[in-house]
Amino acid sequence: MTSVGLNGRAPELARLRDLIDGAAPGVPTTVVFRGEPGIGKSALLGALGELAAGAGFQVAAASARHTPGRAFAAAGTVLGRLGTRSGAPGPAAALPSAPEGLHDLVDRVGAQTRHGPVLLCLDEASRADEWSLRWLLASSEITSPAPLVIALSEDPALEQDGSPMAELLAKARQFHLAGLPTAALPGFAAAHCGVALDEESAAVCHELTGGNPGLLRSLLHGYADSAPTARELRAAAGSAALPGGERWLGGLSAPALALARAVAVLDAEAEISQAAQLAGLAPRETLSPIDELVRRSVLANRTPLAFRHPLLAAMVTGGIPVGSRTALHLRAAEILRDGHFGATRVARQLMAAGPIGQGWTVRPLMLAARRLARDGRTEEAARHLRRVLREKLAPQVRSAVRCELAGLEEFADPEGAARRLEAARQEADDPEAATDYAVALAGLLVRCGRPADALAVLDDTADRLGPAAPDHFLRLRTHKALVCLGGPPWLVGAAGPPDDLTADPPAQDAARRELAGLRAAHAAGVGADRPEAVRQARLALAGGRDGPDRSFWHGCSTLVHADELTEAWTHGSRARPADAARPGQWDHVCAELLRARICRIRGDLPGAVGALAPMADLLRRTASGARLPAALSVAALVEAHALMGDTGTAAALLADCGLEGELPPRQDTVAVLSARAALWEHAGDLPRALEDCLAAGRLATECGVRNPAVAAWRSRAARLLTSLGRREEAARFAAAELEDARRWGTPRAVGTARHALAVTEPEAERVASLAAAVRLLADSPARLELAVARFDLGTALDGAGRPAEARGELAAALSAAEACGARPLAARITAVLREADAAGDDPGADPLLSDLTPQELRILCLARDGHTNRQIAGKLFVTVRTVEFHLSGVYRKLGISGRGQLPGIAPATAGSRAAHR
């Protein structure tokens, strides 16, 4: 079979063979091939002719496209080929007048069937004159002595109700042709276009063309003897040089063509009202052109309006002159803007229109860039910002756009972004623009571990501006103080206390937020005035609508240190990438780091790992290159893995990031050393853990950080020293941290320090101190620290000869440890409980409690200690309704009427042997 376009048409060819084989004398067989332009109707008609000729049929085939419009013109062309070899063209039959000659032409067909089977083929039959169609209809109703098959191809766009063609369709077998399957496209492309397609490029071809052979030829035009990639094919689909558009668009009415252009410009989700407005049509005038485009298979039969195949949109767009196309895109942007259809759709039109010199275009382009960045489409976001820079902008607007663009470019090319910011800073004549560039460049340099260079940039800009720009000078000093505050020890304090910067509030909102962020960060590090730190943090976060900046992150971090976790989580979500989107800038990494820290404080170790683990490959590439956000993220991820018992994963990550050896004296090093200490502690190497813990403490102290909510190194050191038998030294560390924790005042900080001090005390005092720590931590979000304290309290109670109470605390500790995902801690608690069960020494157990389930025992213990149902639900992570249900069961089993009788119940409760079987 040599006919064009038959790759992937095996089912249709099989039906054609069955049709030829089943043709019989008597009533003729009529078959019609239907489908959109380019789908391969003519190819199948030719294949039918070849099959029929091979079976001994006389074949007469012609096309009605170029036949004259007079009566019986197409009939004469077909009849002229009867009796010639293989249906080759012969002299056209003499054409009689209509209608008198109809029966004569029908009789001529019948006469030919006396000599053998006959196949009459008329391609594009819908274009034939009316009397030729009547001839075919009459011929399909004769009784023939040999098989007679009449085969037609029909253009649905030319179909008319009540015409002879409609009558033929009603009685014919119909072949509705769809596009070729994806698997058939490589073979078609190789055979008919000389193009090699792999699996991915074939899938793109099918997506763009629907498998339409004609469209596929247009798409692959110009790729002969090559193997285009999927990306190249997508680029070709946007080309203005695609051939074949005339087959689809030729003969369209002016309103239909205008509407097609409007839909092509509007692209996805083109509503009828928008398309009508862009095409210059009234809504009612639009309905008939829509029907015309649907009949012609240009548009899909649905709303919002869309092309039947994406490649058709490119063909239509490519046919619009560039000036008209620009005007259409601009008009579309205005229509979408006025209709409040969202900045993303407006920006798409503006990107296509190019620079137009109108100020209103800046905002939608900026908003769209931020949305794209959140979706992880960083390069598209950068293109939008570069497009903004091609407009005529005020210096302040241009500097804001350039700085935002640098934030996107920094992620992949920090050195290049730094060079471009420095060039912009040097060229800036406007003081505000120069300050913006200096602040952005300083932040980039700090994130790259170059605080000294950041200070040089800020000082140089301040010297250039001088005293004539006091507001901008204040911003530069504020950022210098921020660099010093977060820098290595030799920089801390170089800028002086934040309160010395100004007595009056700055005039600019950005400067006020930055100063508040500085004061919040300073107060959090010193740890002396938590309410003031929180107040400044909220000022730093107030009104920031243009995206996160340094004041934003300082404000969020201060809220985390103050245990205002829900508020910090809400603010941090503003900077997060969209779900499943890859980070496209360092703000995205910082947002995930913030969430991981909050999860860690709440004891949600799987949540902390889940926030950072997807970025592990990125962190490995960047942490060793002095990228501060990466190093801090690695530290958080290492600690979470270690606490979950994945010490091998944590150690491998440290090694891959180059953070297992000597580290530079920077403040992010405190977090890395603390994470290493947690890793070595859980790996059983206590001396090494203590060494890193003390190194972290020395560095934090040199940097002026005293707040244990920021760096609780002394409590960890106290626990390690106690495990190593150095209790007196441990007590000094714990007492010092407790003093600072009380100054800060959060239950988490005070409870953690109180717990560390308690484990250093003599056994006679330890139970009361641990119980006090447990009460403090129970009022904090620190579920994991509470689990550890309860474990120590349970162990102390057991040592004090109070096994029933001990088991209650151990059971609660086990439940919390399992909820936190702290597998090593849960294993230690389980081992202690098993030892207690094996000892079988439970003199204080009440036999009445043996019938209670473990959950009932836990709830009974908490209720007896005075906790409300809602508090019990929060501690056990169940609903209040569940607590009420279990308490009812407890009352029934114990034969009591309510809470008033619980104090008389023996305190065996949740730790009884029954609770652990």
Side-chain angles (χ1 to χ4, degrees), residues 139 144 188 224 282 284 314 343 580 630 741 836 840 887 916:
S139 298
S144 59
F188 179 93
R284 291 187 177 180
L887 273 178
H916 303 290

Side-chain angles (χ1 to χ4, degrees), residues 705-716:
V705 176
R706 295 185 57 186
N707 190 349
V710 178
W713 64 274
R714 286 167 292 188
S715 56
R716 171 167 281 155

Side-chain angles (χ1 to χ4, degrees), residues 68-344:
R70 62 180 183 272
F72 298 119
T77 303
V78 173
L79 288 173
R81 298 181 182 186
L82 271 178
T84 64
R85 184 176 182 181
S86 300
L95 300 181
S97 58
E100 295 82 3
L102 176 63
H103 294 295
D104 178 56
L105 294 180
V106 172
D107 290 342
R108 290 177 62 180
V109 173
Q112 287 294 332
T113 61
R114 297 189 186 98
H115 305 293
V118 174
L119 169 66
L120 303 179
C121 295
L122 184 60
D123 197 13
E124 300 190 77
S126 300
R127 300 179 182 274
D129 61 277
E130 178 184 355
W131 285 101
S132 292
L133 293 176
R134 291 184 181 276
W135 163 70
L136 288 171
L137 181 61
S139 298
S140 70
E141 296 172 347
I142 67 175
T143 301
S144 59
L148 172 61
V149 177
I150 300 173
L152 314 171
S153 72
E154 185 253 352
D155 186 347
L158 302 178
E159 188 178 308
Q160 296 180 1
D161 294 337
S163 67
M165 190 69 209
E167 295 185 53
L168 279 167
L169 288 172
K171 64 183 301 183
R173 301 182 188 180
Q174 297 191 22
F175 281 67
H176 292 273
L177 302 184
L180 301 175
T182 303
L185 297 191
F188 179 93
H192 305 294
C193 306
V195 174
L197 297 179
D198 59 20
E199 184 176 343
E200 184 180 6
S201 57
V204 170
C205 285
H206 195 275
E207 174 191 336
L208 296 172
T209 67
N212 182 294
L215 288 178
L216 190 63
R217 286 172 175 272
S218 297
L219 177 62
L220 299 180
H221 174 76
Y223 285 107
D225 301 321
S226 67
T229 65
R231 176 173 294 190
E232 290 172 339
L233 291 170
R234 288 193 186 279
S239 169
L242 290 173
E246 184 62 25
R247 170 181 282 182
W248 297 81
L249 307 176
L252 285 176
S253 66
L257 182 59
L259 187 65
R261 288 179 169 182
V263 175
V265 167
L266 287 168
D267 199 13
E269 301 180 353
E271 299 290 349
I272 291 177
S273 60
Q274 300 166 12
Q277 192 174 358
L278 186 57
L281 301 171
R284 291 187 177 180
E285 297 174 343
T286 310
L287 304 181
S288 179
I290 289 174
D291 290 343
E292 180 182 349
L293 292 169
V294 171
R295 283 197 308 272
R296 292 285 297 268
S297 299
V298 176
L299 295 184
N301 189 23
R302 65 175 177 82
T303 56
L305 301 178
F307 284 90
R308 188 177 177 91
H309 304 299
L311 194 65
L312 293 175
M315 287 181 168
V316 172
T317 304
I320 306 174
V322 63
S324 299
R325 189 163 65 245
T326 299
L328 282 171
H329 282 298
L330 177 57
R331 179 62 183 140
E334 293 170 341
I335 291 170
L336 294 171
R337 176 202 62 187
D338 296 342
H340 304 287
F341 284 97
T344 301

